[in-house]
Amino acid sequence: MDEANSYEEQRRRQIEQNKRKLDELRVHKLSAAVRQAAAKPMPAKLRMPRNPRLDAPTRWSGRIASLLEQPDYRVRKANGDVKNESPDPVPVPVYATDEERAYAFTKAEQLNGQLGSDHPTFIKPMSHGSAKKSRHLNIPGHFRQYLPVHDEMMVLVDEANDEFDVLYRISHTHRMCLNGWRTYSAYHELADGDCLVFQQIERRKFKVYIARASSYNKNDH
C-alpha cells in the first residue's frame, strides 16, 4: 500500500514538473516572438502616382477669360461687418396725380379732334403697368371693326416717323392686343398718366401721338 502511494506521489510531482517546463517554454517562445516583431521594420505605405493633370494650371475658355473682373458690391462697415448691396437698385414707381392724368387726357382729346375723321382713332391712357411693365397693349373693343380678323404684323409710327413692328393678336376671348409693345414704350419713356392717340393711317399701320402727364404745370392752372 505504501509503495502504491509513493508511486502516485512521484508521478504527480513528475506531471507538475513537466507542466512548469512547458509553461516556461511557452513564455520564452512568446517573448522571442514579441522581440522579433518589434525589430521587424514596418512595411512602407504604397503611394499612388499623382495625376499630372492636377498640377496643370486651370484653363479657362476664351469667353470667360476675356470677361472683366466683376466689381465687389459689398460694403464694409466700420465694425468690419460686410453688407451686400445690389448694383442696380429697383427704382421706386412714380405715379401721376389726378390733375396730371386729367391734363394728359384733355390734351389727347384736343389732339384727336384736330386729326379729323378721315382715319379712325382711339385714345389710350397709360397705367404704370402699361407704360413700364407690360409686353402687350390692349386695344379697345369698339375698335374691332377696323382691325384684321386674324393675327398680323402691324407698324407703329411715332411723331418723328420712326417705325416699330408689333404683332396684332386676337385671343380666344376675342381680346385684341399689340404684342411687342414694351419696345415702343421703353424707347419713348412712357410713364403713368400719359395718354396716347392712335390713328389708323393704313390697315396695318398706326400713327401714335403722345400727351405727357409730366407736361402739366400746376402754376398755370
Side-chain angles (χ1 to χ4, degrees):
M1 186 68 179
D2 292 337
E3 292 180 359
N5 291 336
S6 177
Y7 174 77
E8 290 296 332
E9 180 66 19
Q10 184 179 1
R11 180 172 176 275
R12 184 182 62 78
R13 291 178 180 177
Q14 186 66 39
I15 292 174
E16 290 179 355
Q17 185 179 2
N18 290 341
K19 285 184 178 181
R20 286 194 299 270
K21 291 182 178 181
L22 182 60
D23 291 339
E24 291 176 0
L25 182 60
R26 288 176 179 174
V27 171
H28 289 313
K29 287 185 176 181
L30 181 59
S31 299
V34 170
R35 287 194 300 271
Q36 184 178 4
K40 187 176 181 180
M42 296 294 292
K45 294 183 179 180
L46 295 178
R47 300 187 63 181
M48 298 296 293
R50 184 176 177 83
N51 190 341
R53 294 183 179 180
L54 298 178
D55 298 325
T58 304
R59 298 181 60 186
W60 302 95
S61 67
R63 180 179 63 83
I64 297 178
S66 62
L67 293 178
L68 296 177
E69 183 178 355
Q70 296 299 311
D72 188 358
Y73 295 110
R74 298 180 302 174
V75 176
R76 188 170 298 279
K77 299 180 181 179
N79 60 3
D81 294 340
V82 174
K83 177 183 178 182
N84 292 325
E85 277 196 358
S86 173
D88 297 314
V90 179
V92 178
V94 178
Y95 297 96
T97 63
D98 293 339
E99 292 82 2
E100 290 171 336
R101 295 180 192 276
Y103 169 82
F105 188 80
T106 300
K107 287 295 183 181
E109 285 186 320
Q110 293 174 357
L111 177 59
N112 188 41
Q114 296 171 4
L115 294 177
S117 58
D118 294 339
H119 302 284
T121 61
F122 68 88
I123 298 176
K124 184 68 177 180
M126 291 288 102
S127 65
H128 176 74
S130 298
K132 298 297 185 182
K133 297 180 179 181
S134 181
R135 297 180 181 275
H136 65 271
L137 182 71
N138 293 327
I139 299 176
H142 68 80
F143 208 77
R144 179 179 290 108
Q145 58 180 317
Y146 304 107
L147 297 174
V149 295
H150 302 292
D151 296 356
E152 291 189 30
M153 294 300 300
M154 288 191 171
V155 178
L156 302 180
V157 184
D158 64 12
E159 296 173 76
N161 290 325
D162 293 327
E163 297 185 348
F164 300 81
D165 293 329
V166 292
L167 175 62
Y168 166 75
R169 299 198 63 181
I170 304 177
S171 69
H172 64 281
T173 58
H174 304 290
R175 294 185 63 180
M176 302 168 295
C177 67
L178 300 176
N179 279 14
W181 169 252
R182 184 73 186 102
T183 301
Y184 181 93
S185 63
Y187 181 84
H188 293 88
E189 298 181 344
L190 298 180
D192 178 64
D194 291 347
C195 205
L196 277 58
V197 179
F198 288 77
Q199 182 186 35
Q200 189 179 27
I201 56 178
E202 296 179 13
R203 186 171 181 271
R204 299 182 182 85
K205 183 176 290 188
F206 283 97
K207 184 80 173 183
V208 185
Y209 302 89
I210 303 174
R212 296 191 181 274
S214 60
S215 298
Y216 172 77
N217 188 347
K218 62 182 178 180
N219 294 329
D220 297 336
H221 298 79

Short mmCIF file of all heavy atoms in Angstrom, two decimals, residues 90-97 100-101 126-133 189-194 213-214:
data_model
loop_
_atom_site.label_atom_id
_atom_site.label_comp_id
_atom_site.label_asym_id
_atom_site.label_seq_id
_atom_site.Cartn_x
_atom_site.Cartn_y
_atom_site.Cartn_z
N VAL A 90 -33.82 98.61 -57.44
CA VAL A 90 -35.09 98.70 -58.16
C VAL A 90 -35.67 100.10 -57.99
O VAL A 90 -35.82 100.58 -56.87
CB VAL A 90 -36.09 97.64 -57.65
CG1 VAL A 90 -37.41 97.77 -58.39
CG2 VAL A 90 -35.50 96.25 -57.80
N PRO A 91 -35.95 100.79 -59.10
CA PRO A 91 -36.48 102.15 -58.98
C PRO A 91 -37.87 102.15 -58.35
O PRO A 91 -38.67 101.25 -58.55
CB PRO A 91 -36.52 102.65 -60.43
CG PRO A 91 -36.59 101.40 -61.26
CD PRO A 91 -35.81 100.37 -60.50
N VAL A 92 -38.14 103.21 -57.60
CA VAL A 92 -39.45 103.35 -56.97
C VAL A 92 -40.45 103.82 -58.02
O VAL A 92 -40.19 104.78 -58.76
CB VAL A 92 -39.38 104.37 -55.82
CG1 VAL A 92 -40.75 104.57 -55.19
CG2 VAL A 92 -38.36 103.92 -54.78
N PRO A 93 -41.60 103.14 -58.17
CA PRO A 93 -42.59 103.56 -59.17
C PRO A 93 -43.06 104.99 -58.93
O PRO A 93 -43.24 105.41 -57.79
CB PRO A 93 -43.73 102.55 -58.99
CG PRO A 93 -43.11 101.38 -58.30
CD PRO A 93 -42.03 101.94 -57.43
N VAL A 94 -43.22 105.73 -60.03
CA VAL A 94 -43.71 107.11 -59.96
C VAL A 94 -45.11 107.13 -60.58
O VAL A 94 -45.29 106.74 -61.74
CB VAL A 94 -42.77 108.07 -60.70
CG1 VAL A 94 -43.33 109.49 -60.67
CG2 VAL A 94 -41.38 108.03 -60.09
N TYR A 95 -46.09 107.58 -59.82
CA TYR A 95 -47.47 107.61 -60.28
C TYR A 95 -47.92 109.06 -60.47
O TYR A 95 -47.55 109.95 -59.70
CB TYR A 95 -48.40 106.91 -59.29
CG TYR A 95 -48.10 105.44 -59.13
CD1 TYR A 95 -47.29 104.98 -58.09
CD2 TYR A 95 -48.61 104.51 -60.03
CE1 TYR A 95 -47.01 103.63 -57.95
CE2 TYR A 95 -48.35 103.16 -59.89
CZ TYR A 95 -47.55 102.73 -58.86
OH TYR A 95 -47.27 101.39 -58.73
N ALA A 96 -48.70 109.25 -61.53
CA ALA A 96 -49.20 110.59 -61.83
C ALA A 96 -50.30 110.97 -60.85
O ALA A 96 -51.02 110.11 -60.33
CB ALA A 96 -49.72 110.63 -63.26
N THR A 97 -50.45 112.27 -60.64
CA THR A 97 -51.55 112.76 -59.81
C THR A 97 -52.82 112.81 -60.65
O THR A 97 -52.79 112.69 -61.88
CB THR A 97 -51.22 114.17 -59.28
OG1 THR A 97 -51.11 115.08 -60.40
CG2 THR A 97 -49.91 114.16 -58.50
N GLU A 100 -52.59 115.57 -63.18
CA GLU A 100 -51.72 115.26 -64.33
C GLU A 100 -52.43 114.32 -65.30
O GLU A 100 -52.31 114.47 -66.54
CB GLU A 100 -50.42 114.63 -63.83
CG GLU A 100 -49.52 115.61 -63.09
CD GLU A 100 -48.33 114.93 -62.43
OE1 GLU A 100 -48.42 113.70 -62.15
OE2 GLU A 100 -47.33 115.61 -62.17
N ARG A 101 -53.18 113.35 -64.78
CA ARG A 101 -53.93 112.44 -65.65
C ARG A 101 -54.99 113.20 -66.44
O ARG A 101 -55.15 113.00 -67.65
CB ARG A 101 -54.60 111.34 -64.82
CG ARG A 101 -53.66 110.40 -64.11
CD ARG A 101 -54.43 109.36 -63.31
NE ARG A 101 -53.54 108.64 -62.42
CZ ARG A 101 -52.82 107.58 -62.80
NH1 ARG A 101 -52.89 107.15 -64.04
NH2 ARG A 101 -52.03 106.97 -61.94
N MET A 126 -52.36 105.66 -70.20
CA MET A 126 -51.34 104.73 -69.75
C MET A 126 -51.39 104.56 -68.23
O MET A 126 -51.38 105.56 -67.48
CB MET A 126 -49.95 105.25 -70.13
CG MET A 126 -49.64 105.23 -71.61
SD MET A 126 -49.38 103.55 -72.26
CE MET A 126 -50.96 103.29 -73.06
N SER A 127 -51.46 103.31 -67.79
CA SER A 127 -51.26 102.99 -66.38
C SER A 127 -49.76 102.73 -66.18
O SER A 127 -48.98 102.68 -67.13
CB SER A 127 -52.06 101.75 -66.00
OG SER A 127 -51.57 100.62 -66.71
N HIS A 128 -49.36 102.55 -64.92
CA HIS A 128 -47.94 102.25 -64.66
C HIS A 128 -47.54 100.92 -65.33
O HIS A 128 -46.44 100.81 -65.90
CB HIS A 128 -47.69 102.16 -63.16
CG HIS A 128 -46.28 101.76 -62.81
ND1 HIS A 128 -45.21 102.61 -62.94
CD2 HIS A 128 -45.78 100.58 -62.35
CE1 HIS A 128 -44.10 101.98 -62.57
NE2 HIS A 128 -44.42 100.76 -62.21
N GLY A 129 -48.44 99.93 -65.28
CA GLY A 129 -48.13 98.64 -65.90
C GLY A 129 -48.00 98.74 -67.41
O GLY A 129 -47.08 98.16 -68.01
N SER A 130 -48.90 99.46 -68.05
CA SER A 130 -48.85 99.60 -69.50
C SER A 130 -47.62 100.36 -69.95
O SER A 130 -47.05 100.08 -71.01
CB SER A 130 -50.11 100.32 -70.00
OG SER A 130 -51.27 99.57 -69.71
N ALA A 131 -47.18 101.32 -69.15
CA ALA A 131 -46.06 102.16 -69.54
C ALA A 131 -44.71 101.52 -69.24
O ALA A 131 -43.75 101.70 -70.00
CB ALA A 131 -46.15 103.51 -68.83
N LYS A 132 -44.61 100.74 -68.15
CA LYS A 132 -43.31 100.29 -67.68
C LYS A 132 -43.11 98.77 -67.67
O LYS A 132 -41.97 98.31 -67.67
CB LYS A 132 -43.08 100.80 -66.24
CG LYS A 132 -43.05 102.31 -66.12
CD LYS A 132 -41.89 102.92 -66.91
CE LYS A 132 -41.79 104.42 -66.68
NZ LYS A 132 -40.71 105.05 -67.47
N LYS A 133 -44.19 98.00 -67.66
CA LYS A 133 -44.02 96.56 -67.45
C LYS A 133 -44.56 95.69 -68.58
O LYS A 133 -43.92 94.72 -68.98
CB LYS A 133 -44.70 96.14 -66.14
CG LYS A 133 -44.12 96.78 -64.90
CD LYS A 133 -44.86 96.30 -63.66
CE LYS A 133 -44.28 96.91 -62.39
NZ LYS A 133 -44.99 96.42 -61.19
N GLU A 189 -40.03 106.23 -73.38
CA GLU A 189 -40.03 106.53 -71.94
C GLU A 189 -41.42 106.95 -71.45
O GLU A 189 -41.60 107.97 -70.78
CB GLU A 189 -39.00 107.64 -71.64
CG GLU A 189 -37.58 107.23 -71.98
CD GLU A 189 -36.56 108.31 -71.66
OE1 GLU A 189 -36.99 109.48 -71.45
OE2 GLU A 189 -35.37 108.00 -71.60
N LEU A 190 -42.39 106.13 -71.80
CA LEU A 190 -43.75 106.41 -71.36
C LEU A 190 -43.85 106.27 -69.84
O LEU A 190 -43.09 105.51 -69.22
CB LEU A 190 -44.73 105.46 -72.04
CG LEU A 190 -44.81 105.57 -73.57
CD1 LEU A 190 -45.83 104.59 -74.12
CD2 LEU A 190 -45.14 107.00 -74.01
N ALA A 191 -44.79 106.98 -69.25
CA ALA A 191 -44.95 106.97 -67.80
C ALA A 191 -46.43 106.89 -67.44
O ALA A 191 -47.31 107.11 -68.27
CB ALA A 191 -44.32 108.22 -67.20
N ASP A 192 -46.66 106.56 -66.18
CA ASP A 192 -48.02 106.50 -65.67
C ASP A 192 -48.70 107.85 -65.85
O ASP A 192 -48.13 108.91 -65.54
CB ASP A 192 -47.98 106.14 -64.19
CG ASP A 192 -49.36 106.10 -63.57
OD1 ASP A 192 -50.16 105.26 -63.99
OD2 ASP A 192 -49.63 106.93 -62.67
N GLY A 193 -49.92 107.84 -66.39
CA GLY A 193 -50.67 109.08 -66.59
C GLY A 193 -50.60 109.62 -68.01
O GLY A 193 -51.43 110.46 -68.39
N ASP A 194 -49.60 109.19 -68.80
CA ASP A 194 -49.54 109.64 -70.19
C ASP A 194 -50.76 109.15 -70.95
O ASP A 194 -51.38 108.14 -70.58
CB ASP A 194 -48.27 109.12 -70.86
CG ASP A 194 -47.01 109.78 -70.31
OD1 ASP A 194 -47.13 110.79 -69.61
OD2 ASP A 194 -45.91 109.26 -70.60
N ALA A 213 -48.21 113.38 -69.19
CA ALA A 213 -48.71 113.91 -67.91
C ALA A 213 -47.69 114.80 -67.25
O ALA A 213 -48.04 115.73 -66.50
CB ALA A 213 -49.09 112.75 -66.99
N SER A 214 -46.43 114.55 -67.51
CA SER A 214 -45.37 115.35 -66.88
C SER A 214 -45.35 116.78 -67.39
O SER A 214 -44.68 117.64 -66.79
CB SER A 214 -44.01 114.69 -67.11
OG SER A 214 -43.74 114.58 -68.52
#
